[in-house]
Every structure is written in C-alpha cells, then in structure tokens.
Amino acid sequence: MIIQIDSREQAPLEFKIVGNVSKVETMGLLFGDYQAMLEDGTPIPIAWERKSIPDLYSTLTHGHDRFRRELERARQHAFQMYLIIEGSLSDVLEGVGHSKVEPDTLVKSIFTFKVRYGLEPVFCKDRSEMVRYILETFEAFGRSWKKVKKGA
C-alpha cells in the first residue's frame, strides 16, 4: 500500500514503511490530507482530513464554505471522507480560548456535516492513535478488495 500525504498538510502524521505500507509519498491531493492506493494502482476510495481542535474550530466556522466544497469534490470522485480529530469529543467540548463559537454549536456542526455530506468524524486521543486508525481502515479496504478481486 502507498500512503499519500497532501503537500499542503502543515503537521503531517508520520507513517512508517512497515507491514503493508511500501511507500509514503507527499503530493498535491484534490481533497483530504491522506489517501492511499494498493500496490496494483487501485486507489482506496477513502480520504482523511486531519484537524487539531483549534483548526477544527476554524474550519467549521470561517472555513465552512471551503470545507463544504472539498467534501463535494470527494463525493464527485466517489470517495468516503473521514474527519480525524486530534482529541476526544470531551476535548472538543472544552472549547478553545480564542473562539467565540460555543463548543456545543461546533459539535452540532460536526454531526450536521456527517448527516448532510457523509463526513465520518473520528476522535483520537493522540497522533499515534490517528496513524493507527487510518492504517487499519486502509488495510481493511485492501483485504476486502483482494477478496472481491479473487472472486472475480
């Protein structure tokens, strides 16, 4: 599997070349911060948008329209978009000091995006848990794809 990291990602997660990961490359992605493809070139139709909690507040308030357009691009390419958040739901509910947005309002926005755009939120306690969650999801797709391909 080849992990692809968007070249605009400001704090990229660290993926190691071990197990099923044969390569990690940085490139301009049309949407999301992380995507992957199988060794045979088959794209895994999953994209991950990584957010720290302060960045999440900014994206879902001031960057709302840009983010919505990104979700539409993913949908046009038949990709499932995941929002992976560096922190728990409880952490998000604690808020950020500089934001005028109430934490409950932000959480409602997260789940409105889930319902309207199919954006799947994932809360992780730290960056290593984020890497694991992303890899496990990509690998599960790869296992399913191999079974489908084998049966064809």
Side-chain angles (χ1 to χ4, degrees):
M1 172 174 39
I2 300 164
I3 302 293
Q4 301 164 318
I5 301 173
D6 186 58
S7 55
R8 294 166 297 239
E9 171 67 315
Q10 297 198 5
L13 297 171
E14 291 184 35
F15 294 90
K16 294 182 177 19
I17 298 175
V18 294
N20 291 330
V21 178
S22 63
K23 186 176 182 183
V24 177
E25 57 187 20
T26 301
M27 61 194 307
L29 299 175
L30 288 175
F31 43 84
D33 296 320
Y34 303 95
Q35 294 179 20
M37 71 170 62
L38 301 176
E39 292 299 324
D40 67 1
T42 302
I44 296 175
I46 296 169
W48 295 87
E49 182 72 21
R50 184 201 59 81
K51 296 293 178 198
S52 65
I53 292 174
D55 194 24
L56 178 67
Y57 271 78
S58 177
T59 297
L60 294 184
T61 55
H62 307 299
H64 181 273
D65 290 335
R66 184 204 61 80
F67 189 52
R68 186 182 45 73
R69 287 190 302 273
E70 186 171 7
L71 294 173
E72 289 295 338
R73 278 194 307 277
R75 184 183 287 178
Q76 289 169 358
H77 288 84
F79 269 66
Q80 169 64 50
M81 216 36 190
Y82 285 84
L83 175 65
I84 193 157
I85 301 161
E86 193 172 341
S88 68
L89 180 57
S90 296
D91 294 335
V92 173
L93 286 167
E94 287 177 15
V96 291
H98 65 277
S99 180
K100 294 177 184 172
V101 176
E102 289 294 320
D104 282 337
T105 301
L106 185 80
V107 169
K108 285 181 169 103
S109 282
I110 292 169
F111 287 94
T112 298
F113 270 94
K114 175 184 171 87
V115 170
R116 281 194 189 151
Y117 302 102
L119 177 68
E120 207 48 57
V122 176
F123 298 89
C124 293
K125 68 179 182 175
D126 58 29
R127 293 171 66 82
S128 65
E129 189 171 280
M130 295 170 93
V131 168
R132 179 72 185 262
Y133 203 102
I134 290 169
L135 286 175
E136 291 294 340
T137 304
F138 283 150
E139 288 178 0
F141 177 88
R143 287 189 300 273
S144 292
W145 179 253
K146 286 177 186 174
K147 284 182 182 177
V148 167
K149 200 171 176 185
K150 196 181 239 186

